[in-house]
Every structure is written in C-alpha cells, then in structure tokens.
Amino acid sequence: GDGETGRLGDGEMGRLGEELLKLSSATTAALQSLAKENQLTLNTIVQGAWALVLNPYSSETDLVYGVTVSGRPPHLVGSESMVGLFINTLPVRVQIETEDYLLSWLKQLQTQLLEIRNFEYSPLVEIQGWSEVPRGLPLFESILVFENYPIDRTLQQQESLTIESVTAFDHTNYPLTVTVIPGSELAIAIAYTTCRFDAATITRMLGHLQTLLTGMVTSPQTKLVDLPLLTAAEQAQLLEFNQTLPTIAENKLQKGIHQLFEEQANNTNPFSE
C-alpha cells in the first residue's frame, strides 16, 4: 500500500535516528507523469513538497534549505572520468505565496535550481560570506539529497553484469537530512538528530510529504493554499475536535469566572488528589 513507513534504526549512541517512507508504484508513476507532462523533474516536485512541509513547522514563508550538487569543475580535464566524490552543498531559498498556482510555482523553483548550478563550485563558507546571515549561524538546518547516481551504459551492456538496484542512505551533520531514492517505488528517508526531534515528529513530517505529493498529482492546477497537508488520521482528529469545541465553549459560558478559576487551579495543583 501507499505510504509504507518504517524505522531504519538509530545512529551511534542514539544521537541519530532515521525514518523511511515508501510510496506505492502507482503514486510514483503518477508523479513521474506529472513531471514529464509539465517539463519538470521529479527532484523539483519533491523539493517543492519539502519546502511546503517546512512552511508550517517553521512558520516562515521565506525558507532556506540545502541541496547537493555534483561539483565536478568543467575546467578540470578528465573530471568526468575521475573516481570519487566532488559533491558540494548549496542553499536554496524558496518563497511561498499561498495564492500562487502549484505548477507555475514549481516551474519557477526549477528555474531557480538551474540558476544556482552556476555556483556549484563555490564553497559553502564563501556563499555564507556573501549572504546577510552572520558567521557562526547556519544558512540552513535541513538538507535534501536526491540520489541520482549515474550508471555507466557500458557497464549495463556487459552480459555478465546485472545491476538490480542502487540504494544509498546519507548522513550529514545537519539536524534534518532528507534523502530521496528514485525507483519504481519512490522512497524518502529523513535522518534526524534525536536531541532536536523525536520519531513521532519525523513520521508526521513524512505523512505530510506523502499527503502533499498525492495532492499534487490529484490537483495539479490548484493554488498552494488549497493543497492538502494533514494526513487522514489528523483530519479525523481535527474534525472530532471541531465537533467537541462548541460543547466545551457552551459549558464554560454557563459557569462563572470563579468556577473556571477553581477548576483550572485544581487541574494544575500537584497536591490535589
């Protein structure tokens, strides 16, 4: 089924945890179709969903998160054939206007992602110096890694070699690391520092990601403000709360101020029985 989640295990001494979301093949295929039909990349769509998830958690509409780029300098002769990592990290600044339409907003984000490639060889510390963020404060506290390791076609053509899957999970020094693993069933893992987050919070964030990605497929022509965020369980809980709230308010109106004060005092008094 869609939205399969599971814990991948805690890191050393419990300082690092990791939760995994795996989308169904049907939802994954629908996301790939959405990307192809609108000249978008799957990476852009997932990044857009991540920015929208960060929005309510941070209460900010001007967000910054990190992304990884290849960082292979074109002026270095033979760099494409060199073995090893040239990966660099760049900040992405996303502004969310709730009245923007989803597809136009995603296309704007994709244009921005293409533009920052001009800085993929610039050290992050140098980029921070260009920003208005004081040194010593992080530019961002979450990073999104879209795993897209290229597999050499000549290797794929070898009759004696069969590549069944390529899977990797990345850990960084950031409080939140989102790793996206494409495939027939898109997988999204969030690694987190346990001193800042708990498993329930991360599972909830993954649920919001799933809801947003599904909503993008179902209603691609909608405005950002109309995209669903809450999971089905959260919607049911909110509905139950909304039905109960008028009764609570009515009961309180029937009581005097002194009665409400006494009830609150009794509820918070550690010595009361």
Side-chain angles (χ1 to χ4, degrees), residues 79-132:
S79 64
E80 292 301 324
S81 61
M82 291 183 180
V83 177
L85 296 178
F86 287 76
I87 291 177
N88 191 16
T89 305
L90 297 178
V92 178
R93 182 179 180 180
V94 181
Q95 295 178 314
I96 299 175
E97 298 291 341
T98 56
E99 292 299 314
D100 284 350
Y101 282 92
L102 172 63
L103 289 178
S104 60
W105 181 74
L106 286 175
K107 289 179 180 180
Q108 181 181 350
L109 175 59
Q110 181 157 289
T111 299
Q112 183 180 345
L113 294 174
L114 290 173
E115 289 174 350
I116 69 171
R117 295 297 297 270
N118 295 324
F119 301 93
E120 65 178 351
Y121 319 114
S122 302
L124 186 58
V125 64
E126 186 175 338
I127 294 176
Q128 173 136 11
W130 299 335
S131 74
E132 297 177 357

Side-chain angles (χ1 to χ4, degrees), residues 3-273:
E4 179 185 350
T5 60
R7 178 169 301 184
L8 299 180
D10 294 329
E12 181 184 358
M13 297 177 62
R15 291 194 295 265
L16 184 70
E18 199 167 38
E19 301 290 330
L20 174 69
L21 167 71
K22 183 176 288 187
L23 299 179
S24 68
S25 56
T27 300
T28 302
L31 285 169
Q32 292 169 338
S33 296
L34 176 67
K36 184 176 181 180
E37 291 168 3
N38 295 281
Q39 293 77 53
L40 295 167
T41 65
L42 189 58
N43 186 6
T44 298
I45 293 175
V46 176
Q47 286 200 39
W50 177 242
L52 292 172
V53 165
L54 288 177
N55 172 223
Y57 279 91
S58 64
S59 301
E60 296 288 344
T61 57
D62 192 347
L63 304 161
V64 180
Y65 59 88
V67 295
T68 55
V69 293
S70 68
R72 287 181 179 267
H75 58 268
L76 181 60
V77 178
S79 64
E80 292 301 324
S81 61
M82 291 183 180
V83 177
L85 296 178
F86 287 76
I87 291 177
N88 191 16
T89 305
L90 297 178
V92 178
R93 182 179 180 180
V94 181
Q95 295 178 314
I96 299 175
E97 298 291 341
T98 56
E99 292 299 314
D100 284 350
Y101 282 92
L102 172 63
L103 289 178
S104 60
W105 181 74
L106 286 175
K107 289 179 180 180
Q108 181 181 350
L109 175 59
Q110 181 157 289
T111 299
Q112 183 180 345
L113 294 174
L114 290 173
E115 289 174 350
I116 69 171
R117 295 297 297 270
N118 295 324
F119 301 93
E120 65 178 351
Y121 319 114
S122 302
L124 186 58
V125 64
E126 186 175 338
I127 294 176
Q128 173 136 11
W130 299 335
S131 74
E132 297 177 357
V133 178
R135 291 190 182 277
L137 294 178
L139 278 175
F140 45 83
E141 292 195 312
S142 72
I143 182 173
L144 190 146
V145 182
F146 192 90
E147 300 290 11
N148 193 20
Y149 296 123
I151 300 175
D152 196 312
R153 291 183 179 179
T154 58
L155 292 178
Q156 292 179 328
Q157 293 171 356
Q158 296 291 330
E159 295 181 0
S160 59
L161 178 64
T162 302
I163 300 175
E164 295 182 352
S165 65
V166 178
T167 304
F169 294 95
D170 297 281
H171 300 306
T172 70
N173 293 325
Y174 296 98
L176 287 176
T177 301
V178 183
T179 304
V180 185
I181 306 107
S184 59
E185 295 180 336
L186 183 72
I188 302 175
I190 298 183
Y192 59 96
T193 53
T194 56
C195 62
R196 294 279 299 274
F197 304 94
D198 56 27
T201 299
I202 301 304
T203 299
R204 188 161 58 248
M205 295 181 84
L206 285 171
H208 294 163
L209 264 175
Q210 178 196 343
T211 303
L212 277 168
L213 290 170
T214 304
M216 289 178 176
V217 169
T218 305
S219 306
Q221 305 297 334
T222 192
K223 293 182 179 180
L224 298 183
V225 69
D226 295 324
L227 282 171
L229 178 69
L230 300 181
T231 64
E234 289 171 328
Q235 290 175 354
Q237 186 177 12
L238 182 62
L239 179 61
E240 181 181 355
F241 177 78
N242 288 339
Q243 291 174 341
T244 307
L245 187 61
T247 303
I248 296 175
E250 183 179 351
N251 290 339
K252 285 190 174 183
L253 288 174
Q254 295 173 356
K255 298 180 179 180
I257 295 297
H258 68 285
Q259 289 177 292
L260 295 175
F261 180 82
E262 289 174 356
E263 289 180 1
Q264 180 63 22
N266 289 332
N267 289 335
T268 57
N269 186 354
F271 300 103
S272 62
E273 296 181 356

